[in-house]
């Protein structure tokens, strides 16, 4: 008799609510062992492999690659009996037991202290089931829009709430602004959200604040490959489920010049032949939300400094030949990172964050140095924990490992959180400088521009020197102009004359 267990998508980072299945590493019929990687999942922060909490035979893969799945949703079924062939359809009682079964304590998805679920990083979501709401008719939606809103206990980690915190209050005279992504959202946004509820819906809510058409995973992939928006397709199947025939019918109705695509505001936008629409998800979605939150929460100020770094570049050549740096890249970024760490030790307020909830400034005891890295999936900012404790050689190795791991898309979720200050190296693209946006939760970010040979006044004469530009953006709630200027000047002083580092 088969012993079926379903593995639910865990929270692979602090507070994540969904993830996209990039690829399956197993197939139906495969024998798997405990901790064997089952699939690769991309979250808002990184791509990670999910290990199996069970040993047995894979009987069903519940989602196709490319599907975005809510945390707490079953993604794979494993038969602990170990039969090599896929198990036949189980009776209702067997299916129920498979869904309710829990992995052993300590395994991913299993019980953890405090009633939580074991995850790869952090404490994880609460142990509640992710349930699909019953479909509503137009009449029921209209009635709900006028009725008082009664909310269940919030559970944003497992997908058990109807919508994220932004929309979890009813618009009334007592409603206060709520914080979401660092922004202050007031009653106007809440009222707008409630008005949208009155629009008749023919699709099922998928548990994270947006509606999703009813279609099976193969049909979704079929539509995605052909560029068809399922939100604009009327399903002919039972309960309005969209079929392949509906996709083909939608394709045949598209004019040759292009097609109109309905946007969230109800307006139509023309998509011309040759245009490409890229879904906003994963790292790109997280980056966009973080940048908007930062730009409209922290009052940014940016200062610039042009520095003669000829001595630094000569020191770089000398250090590269030393035994302790053999096999390690001695880059200009290494010196910028060390200069920032020394300057932050002198000006600790720069390495701090604003706590809106407690109305306090948190001055961090250690520098978790973030390095902005461009990857095929978008911009990520992994960080080195307590970077100030590292020697110059250790810092060089850590920077190389950090950037290589990020570009490979293998950064651990723990390395993507907890940063306190960031460097963005725009010089690798031949850019002189920029006005960088703060990483949310941090008070400063330093842009390092390209090192160029330029005419420079040196010892009273015009000479060709190696010059770079620095751009420092800081949160003016925490860092005053004087403090920001002194910090940037100290970084520039160390880069101009590395010997001054002995005085820090």
């Amino acid at each position: 008799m088969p012993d079926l267990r379903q593995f639910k998508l865990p929270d692979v980072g602090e507070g994540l609510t969904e993830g996209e299945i990039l690829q399956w590493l197993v197939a139906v019929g495969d024998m798997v062992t405990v901790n064997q990687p089952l699939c690769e999942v991309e979250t808002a922060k990184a791509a990670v492999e999910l290990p199996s909490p069970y040993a047995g035979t894979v009987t069903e893969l519940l989602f196709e690659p490319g599907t975005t799945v809510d945390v707490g949703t079953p993604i794979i079924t494993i038969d602990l009996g170990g039969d090599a062939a896929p198990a036949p359809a189980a009776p209702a009682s067997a299916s129920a037991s498979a869904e309710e079964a829990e992995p052993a304590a300590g395994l991913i998805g299993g019980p953890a202290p405090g009633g939580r679920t074991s995850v790869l990083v952090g404490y994880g979501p609460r142990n509640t089931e992710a349930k699909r709401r019953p479909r509503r008719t137009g009449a029921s939606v209209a009635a709900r829009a006028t009725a008082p809103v009664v909310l269940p206990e919030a559970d944003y980690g497992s997908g058990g709430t109807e919508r994220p915190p932004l929309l979890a209050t009813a618009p009334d005279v007592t409603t206060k602004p709520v914080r979401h992504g660092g922004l202050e959202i007031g009653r106007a946004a809440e009222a707008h959200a409630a008005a949208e509820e009155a629009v008749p819906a023919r699709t099922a809510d998928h548990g994270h604040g947006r509606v999703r058409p009813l279609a099976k995973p193969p049909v979704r992939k079929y539509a995605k490959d052909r560029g068809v928006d399922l939100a604009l397709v009327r399903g002919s199947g039972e309960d309005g489920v969209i079929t392949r025939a509906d996709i083909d019918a939608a394709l045949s109705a598209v004019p040759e010049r292009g097609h109109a695509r309905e946007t969230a505001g109800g307006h139509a936008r023309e998509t011309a032949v040759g245009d490409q629409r890229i879904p906003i998800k994963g790292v790109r979605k997280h980056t966009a939300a973080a940048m908007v939150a930062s730009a409209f929460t922290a009052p940014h100020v940016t200062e610039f400094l042009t520095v003669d770094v000829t001595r630094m570049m000569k020191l770089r050549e000398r250090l590269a030949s030393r035994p302790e740096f053999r096999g390690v890249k001695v880059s200009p970024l290494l010196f910028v990172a060390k200069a920032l760490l020394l300057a932050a030790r002198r000006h600790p307020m720069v390495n701090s964050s604003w706590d809106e909830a407690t109305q306090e400034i948190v001055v961090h005891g250690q520098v978790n140095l973030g390095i902005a890295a461009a990857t095929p999936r978008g911009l990520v900012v992994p960080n080195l924990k307590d970077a100030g404790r590292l020697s110059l050689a250790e810092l060089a190795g850590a920077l190389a490992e950090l950037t290589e791991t990020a570009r490979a898309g293998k950064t651990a979720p723990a390395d993507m959180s907890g940063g306190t200050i960031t460097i963005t190296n725009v010089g690798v693209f031949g850019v002189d400088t920029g006005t960088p946006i703060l990483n949310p939760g941090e008070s400063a970010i330093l842009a390092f521009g390209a090192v160029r040979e330029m005419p420079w006044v040196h010892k009273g004469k015009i000479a060709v020197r190696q010059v770079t530009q620095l751009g420092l953006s800081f949160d003016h709630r925490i860092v005053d102009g004087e403090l920001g200027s002194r910090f940037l000047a100290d970084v520039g002083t160390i880069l101009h004359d590395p010997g001054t580092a002995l005085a820090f």
Side-chain angles (χ1 to χ4, degrees):
M1 183 175 180
D3 183 7
L4 302 179
R5 303 294 176 92
Q6 287 188 326
F7 176 43
K8 300 174 184 178
L9 180 66
D11 179 4
V12 295
E14 283 287 355
L16 297 178
T17 59
E18 64 182 13
E20 179 186 355
I21 298 177
L22 297 179
Q23 63 174 330
W24 285 104
L25 305 178
V26 295
V28 174
D30 286 356
M31 297 288 293
V32 296
T33 58
V34 174
N35 289 331
Q36 177 180 336
L38 297 175
C39 63
E40 187 177 18
V41 175
E42 182 181 40
T43 68
K45 296 184 177 181
V48 296
E49 292 181 349
L50 297 184
S52 173
Y54 308 115
T57 304
V58 177
T59 61
E60 187 179 11
L61 305 179
L62 300 177
F63 292 95
E64 293 286 338
T67 306
T68 299
V69 182
D70 290 330
V71 168
T73 303
I75 59 174
I76 187 173
T77 304
I78 299 176
D79 181 7
L80 273 58
D83 296 333
S93 60
S95 300
S97 63
E99 291 184 2
E100 296 172 0
E102 293 290 344
L107 296 178
I108 301 303
R116 298 283 186 168
T117 301
S118 295
V119 296
L120 297 183
V121 176
Y123 299 100
R126 298 179 183 175
N127 288 330
T128 57
E129 291 291 331
K131 298 179 180 179
R132 171 175 287 182
R133 292 184 299 163
R135 297 173 64 239
R136 303 191 300 270
T137 63
S140 63
V141 173
R144 177 177 174 176
T146 59
V149 179
V150 180
L151 294 178
E153 181 182 0
D155 184 7
Y156 309 122
S158 62
T161 186
E162 292 189 0
R163 51 168 71 97
L166 171 62
L167 305 179
T169 56
D172 55 43
V173 294
T174 63
T175 301
K176 297 181 180 179
V178 297
R179 292 191 56 79
H180 179 71
L183 296 177
E184 293 289 343
I185 309 297
R187 285 193 295 270
E190 298 288 346
H192 176 71
E196 290 183 347
E197 282 285 332
V199 179
R202 61 177 179 85
T203 56
D205 194 313
H206 217 245
H208 39 75
R210 63 176 182 269
V211 293
R212 195 174 187 186
L214 297 175
K216 295 181 179 179
V219 177
R220 293 187 184 280
K221 187 175 186 302
Y222 185 76
K224 180 180 179 181
D225 293 343
R226 287 154 181 79
V228 176
D229 183 2
L230 290 178
L232 303 180
V233 179
R234 183 176 298 277
S236 62
E238 184 179 357
D239 293 330
V241 174
I242 299 173
T243 65
R244 287 200 178 202
D246 298 327
I247 304 300
D248 294 335
L251 287 171
S252 63
V254 176
E256 292 185 2
R257 276 193 322 121
H259 66 278
R261 179 186 180 98
E262 188 174 351
T263 63
H267 304 289
R269 295 191 57 146
E270 186 72 16
T271 302
V273 174
D275 289 355
Q276 180 185 12
R277 289 185 176 271
I278 302 175
I280 302 173
K281 57 186 179 180
V283 174
R284 176 65 60 188
K285 180 178 179 180
H286 173 75
T287 301
M291 293 299 97
V292 170
S294 177
F296 290 96
T297 301
H300 286 55
V301 174
T302 305
E303 295 184 342
F304 305 95
L305 181 65
T306 304
V307 184
D308 175 6
V309 293
T310 305
R311 294 180 184 175
M312 181 197 80
M313 298 302 286
K314 290 180 178 179
L315 177 61
R316 174 196 175 198
E317 295 176 0
R318 296 198 301 271
L319 290 180
S321 61
R322 293 184 61 86
E324 58 265 37
F325 289 93
R326 186 174 295 115
V328 179
K329 182 179 181 181
V330 182
S331 66
L333 177 62
L334 170 62
F335 293 92
V336 175
K338 191 63 176 179
L340 181 145
L341 292 170
L342 292 173
R345 183 187 303 170
R346 174 175 285 186
H347 308 286
M349 187 64 73
V350 175
N351 185 51
S352 60
S353 59
W354 183 278
D355 191 332
E356 183 69 24
T358 62
Q359 288 294 293
E360 295 175 332
I361 294 174
V362 181
V363 182
H364 302 290
Q366 62 185 33
V367 179
N368 295 340
L369 179 61
I371 303 295
T375 73
R377 293 187 175 93
L379 176 69
V380 296
V381 189
N383 61 81
L384 295 174
K385 299 296 190 291
D386 197 8
R389 62 181 169 78
L390 302 175
S391 67
L392 193 63
E394 292 171 336
L395 185 60
L399 287 174
E401 182 180 359
L402 190 78
T403 53
E404 289 174 6
T405 304
R407 293 189 180 114
K410 301 297 183 182
T411 303
D415 293 333
M416 299 288 289
S417 60
T420 60
I421 193 169
T422 296
I423 296 175
T424 175
N425 185 10
V426 297
V428 296
F429 306 108
V431 175
D432 291 326
T433 189
T435 56
I437 298 178
L438 293 170
N439 208 26
E442 300 177 10
S443 62
I445 179 172
L446 180 69
F448 173 42
V451 178
R452 304 182 185 277
E453 290 188 341
M454 297 179 64
W456 193 264
V457 178
H458 178 62
K459 297 182 179 179
K461 298 180 180 180
I462 299 295
V464 176
R465 306 287 287 181
Q466 292 180 292
V467 178
T468 189
Q469 292 188 45
L470 305 174
L472 178 71
S473 291
F474 52 86
D475 186 342
H476 214 338
R477 297 175 301 178
I478 303 173
V479 181
D480 296 330
E482 179 187 6
L483 175 58
S485 300
R486 291 184 181 277
F487 175 79
L488 182 59
D490 281 347
V491 173
T493 297
I494 297 173
L495 296 180
H496 172 64
D497 183 5
T500 59
L502 296 174
F504 280 75

